Amino acid sequence: MKTSKGEHVFLAVNYVFLALFGISALVPLINILAVSLSDSSAIISGKVSIWPIGWNIEAYRQLIEGTRIIYALKNSIIITVVGVALSMLFTILAAYPLSRNTFYGRRFFTLAIVFTMLFGGGLIPSFLVIKELGLINSYAAIWLPSLVSAFNMMIMRTFFLNIPSELEDAARMDGCGEYRMLLQIFLPLSLPVLATLTLFYSVGYWNQFLTVLLYINDAKKYNLTVLVQNMVANQQLLQQINTFQAEDSVSMTPEAIKAGAVVILLLPLMIVYPFLQKYFVKGALVGAVKG
């Protein structure tokens, strides 16, 4: 089918707009990376834009030697890996029965879960529940409230509903039970939505901030997000970092140290995303076709 001149103009304008929008989002990240790798004098004089001036990695060395950023990175990885594993497990176990026509009360439980997307208990009741359960100062206080996202569960449920019923009928004729049906039929066909929800949960757990401040009292258990926020907001902490530098090292500006911390915070997700990106659009769209 031949496209009209108006359609060509629309596509051209659309591509230009999306390109400018992408550049506007990318330039600040490039600038932060350039600042973290630049010389202090160039940063103070405001010469750094998108390319480092006076290449050095002193800011990263001071971060590693003068702060608990490695321990915070380890804590973030533990929170994210364990949290994503638990959330995906319980999301699958919730979505599968709600997608089966044979499940009694399926409509009631689905509406009850959707209700939680509209109304919540609030911050204070949630804190009191976590306190009464004895989960304060443990990562379980982070994992439990975020265990199942109703939105993500509905996406997976809808994806399961789109799987042809003929596959299920054929599997049942071969004597396939519910657990084997889920493990050998549904999950292998659900890689796009599994990758998409893994990315959703990963971003959520990696960026946990308020829940860590509320429930974690031990600074040694802080994740990377909280540590970086403290560094950005606390000028005194940045000055203390410089006291840990060696005699022959170069003094770095607070801007370079803050930029390095932000880069370390963003880097893991930027590395993981390209591997899941090819499943992202397909998983999100197919899981939202029908309800």
Side-chain angles (χ1 to χ4, degrees):
M1 183 177 178
K2 187 176 181 180
T3 57
S4 64
K5 184 178 179 181
E7 290 175 331
H8 283 296
V9 173
F10 171 78
L11 291 176
V13 173
N14 194 27
Y15 289 149
V16 171
F17 173 77
L18 292 177
L20 293 175
F21 184 80
I23 293 173
S24 67
L26 190 61
V27 167
L29 297 178
I30 298 176
N31 175 254
I32 291 175
L33 179 61
V35 169
S36 69
L37 295 172
S38 295
D39 185 72
S40 297
S41 59
I43 298 173
I44 295 174
S45 61
K47 297 179 180 179
V48 182
S49 55
I50 61 174
W51 191 257
I53 298 178
W55 284 76
N56 70 81
I57 58 172
E58 186 63 27
Y60 295 98
R61 193 188 67 79
Q62 292 187 20
L63 277 171
I64 294 174
E65 295 181 358
T67 70
R68 297 186 59 85
I69 198 165
I70 297 299
Y71 297 97
L73 178 61
K74 182 187 70 173
N75 294 337
S76 290
I77 293 174
I78 293 174
I79 293 172
T80 302
V81 172
V82 177
V84 169
L86 292 174
S87 292
M88 290 300 297
L89 174 62
F90 283 92
T91 300
I92 292 170
L93 293 179
Y96 178 73
L98 292 177
S99 66
R100 303 298 89 207
N101 294 326
T102 56
F103 179 60
Y104 181 76
R106 180 182 67 159
R107 180 176 177 83
F108 169 78
F109 287 108
T110 301
L111 293 177
I113 292 173
V114 172
F115 181 83
T116 64
M117 298 173 64
L118 305 176
F119 303 96
L123 184 61
I124 295 177
S126 299
F127 179 82
L128 293 177
V129 170
I130 295 297
K131 182 179 179 181
E132 289 300 321
L133 291 175
L135 300 179
I136 296 297
N137 206 32
S138 69
Y139 291 149
I142 301 173
W143 296 325
L144 184 60
S146 308
L147 195 58
V148 177
S149 166
F151 175 77
N152 292 345
M153 193 280 297
M154 293 302 296
I155 291 179
M156 181 164 288
R157 168 188 172 272
T158 305
F159 193 96
F160 286 162
L161 285 172
N162 291 330
I163 294 178
S165 59
E166 291 79 7
L167 291 175
E168 182 179 356
D169 295 338
R172 292 197 184 281
M173 291 179 63
D174 293 334
C176 189
E178 294 296 343
Y179 288 106
R180 187 178 176 187
M181 178 83 67
L182 175 63
L183 294 175
Q184 296 187 1
I185 303 297
F186 279 75
L187 293 185
L189 296 174
S190 305
L191 290 181
V193 73
L194 292 177
T196 301
L197 298 189
T198 298
L199 181 62
F200 286 169
Y201 279 124
S202 298
V203 172
Y205 280 111
W206 186 264
N207 292 329
Q208 286 285 349
F209 176 72
L210 182 60
T211 53
V212 176
L213 288 180
L214 285 176
Y215 303 131
I216 304 299
N217 301 326
D218 188 357
K220 295 180 180 180
K221 294 184 178 181
Y222 281 169
N223 63 345
L224 197 57
T225 307
V226 174
L227 180 65
V228 171
Q229 191 276 338
N230 289 339
M231 292 174 56
V232 171
N234 194 342
Q235 191 72 18
Q236 184 179 1
L237 179 61
L238 294 174
Q239 293 174 355
Q240 291 176 358
I241 295 174
N242 283 323
T243 63
F244 288 92
Q245 56 185 326
E247 296 181 357
D248 57 345
S249 63
V250 180
S251 177
M252 297 302 298
T253 62
E255 287 75 14
I257 297 175
K258 289 189 289 187
V262 172
V263 170
I264 294 176
L265 175 63
L266 296 177
L267 191 60
L269 289 181
M270 295 177 66
I271 293 175
V272 171
Y273 180 77
F275 296 99
L276 301 178
Q277 190 269 342
K278 64 179 180 180
Y279 299 108
F280 182 79
V281 175
K282 182 179 178 181
L285 292 181
V286 175
V289 173
K290 65 180 182 179

